[in-house]
Amino acid sequence: QERLVESGGGLVQPGGSLRLSCRASGISFEIYNLFWYRRSPGKQRELVASITVDHVTKYTDSVKGRFHIYRDNPENTVYLQMNGVKPEDTADYFCHAQMRISPDVAYWGQGTQVTVAL
């Protein structure tokens, strides 16, 4: 069974740090481009960061210099290191895996909640 499971969310103070993890079972991350999305109440789902099979990364402007996406293919895990968090980073965070050579093959995790507050 193919499955993505996020973890690492929680409550963090503004300016603090948090690391989200997404571990896959049933698929091999090495052939997938990987993404972190987030969604806040009343907002559209937003692409936060991505990392390709070739380890090329991209970030939405609001998190550049603060967030870092990286992958550990042997462990089928992708991480989102969140530094200098802001209240506006509060959201449910979801990981997404998309097969590079066949983008129709894709999977979503169930999400992990991040709350940035005093």
Side-chain angles (χ1 to χ4, degrees):
Q1 182 181 37
E2 302 89 1
R3 185 174 65 179
L4 306 180
V5 179
E6 301 97 334
S7 62
L11 176 65
V12 60
Q13 295 186 188
S17 296
L18 203 64
R19 189 181 73 169
L20 307 183
S21 301
C22 174
R23 191 179 186 95
S25 60
I27 65 172
S28 296
F29 263 1
E30 65 194 54
I31 63 172
Y32 287 81
N33 293 324
L34 304 172
F35 309 82
W36 282 100
Y37 287 82
R38 67 186 179 188
R39 186 182 183 275
S40 299
K43 293 184 177 181
Q44 296 281 136
R45 194 194 307 270
E46 177 188 26
L47 176 59
V48 177
S50 62
I51 182 166
T52 69
V53 167
D54 300 315
H55 293 256
V56 176
T57 60
K58 293 183 178 180
Y59 302 89
T60 191
D61 286 344
S62 64
V63 308
K64 287 180 179 176
R66 299 190 297 119
F67 290 9
H68 179 218
I69 186 172
Y70 61 103
R71 59 196 295 164
D72 184 348
N73 287 337
E75 294 297 323
N76 283 322
T77 302
V78 60
Y79 300 92
L80 184 68
Q81 178 67 44
M82 306 168 61
N83 298 319
V85 297
K86 303 175 180 180
E88 50 263 46
D89 295 322
T90 296
D92 290 327
Y93 284 73
F94 301 86
C95 67
H96 182 239
Q98 185 178 58
M99 189 181 292
R100 184 181 66 178
I101 64 173
S102 187
D104 55 298
V105 179
Y107 305 92
W108 285 95
Q110 83 292 338
T112 186
Q113 186 177 36
V114 173
T115 300
V116 182
L118 294 171

